[in-house]
Amino acid sequence: PTSFEGTAAPAYPAMNLWTDQDGAIVTAELPGVDPDDIDISVVDDILTLKGGRQPDELKEGETYHRRERRHGRFTRAFQLPFQVDADKVEAVFEKGVLSISLPRAEADKPKKITVKAG
């Protein structure tokens, strides 16, 4: 038998973030979540993802034998490595995975400085 007493539950939803010089991509695993129940916001360099998953509805006379899938409201927020252009953020929900494209703000992109010969 395995005991989970005193251990924290993993953060939900599980998320990945990768970046390049032009922006960032965030993916989140959200099986069973209705896209209409997802709220994404970006303020400065903070991404916030909120939503909820409804519990499975049992038919009359049914009872759970085992219940491990969580339901209810969730919120995840974390700091991005740079400012993003919030007007150009795009999100796609496919096969239970949310993908968020976060373009880097022009003002935050590294600028190449040309050295002039004198």
Side-chain angles (χ1 to χ4, degrees):
T2 302
S3 173
F4 293 101
E5 289 181 29
T7 61
Y12 183 85
M15 299 175 78
N16 289 338
L17 165 69
W18 60 94
T19 65
D20 63 19
Q21 67 183 22
D22 295 322
I25 300 290
V26 172
T27 59
E29 295 178 353
L30 296 167
V33 175
D34 186 324
D36 292 335
D37 292 334
I38 299 171
D39 180 39
I40 304 164
S41 65
V42 178
V43 177
D44 295 324
D45 61 349
I46 304 295
L47 171 70
T48 303
L49 177 63
K50 296 179 182 180
R53 180 166 57 195
Q54 300 300 318
D56 296 327
E57 293 187 26
L58 299 179
K59 297 176 186 165
E60 188 174 330
E62 293 180 330
T63 59
Y64 280 103
H65 174 71
R66 184 175 190 97
R67 187 174 187 181
E68 295 182 355
R69 292 185 61 213
R70 296 183 196 180
H71 63 276
R73 305 292 304 161
F74 61 84
T75 299
R76 292 284 313 267
F78 55 89
Q79 186 172 14
L80 299 166
F82 43 71
Q83 300 278 327
V84 300
D85 185 343
D87 293 332
K88 295 182 181 175
V89 172
E90 294 181 356
V92 176
F93 189 68
E94 186 175 351
K95 296 183 181 177
V97 177
L98 176 67
S99 296
I100 308 168
S101 173
L102 301 151
R104 192 170 190 166
E106 282 298 322
D108 197 59
K109 288 183 181 178
K111 301 290 185 222
K112 180 172 172 84
I113 308 300
T114 304
V115 178
K116 298 178 185 176

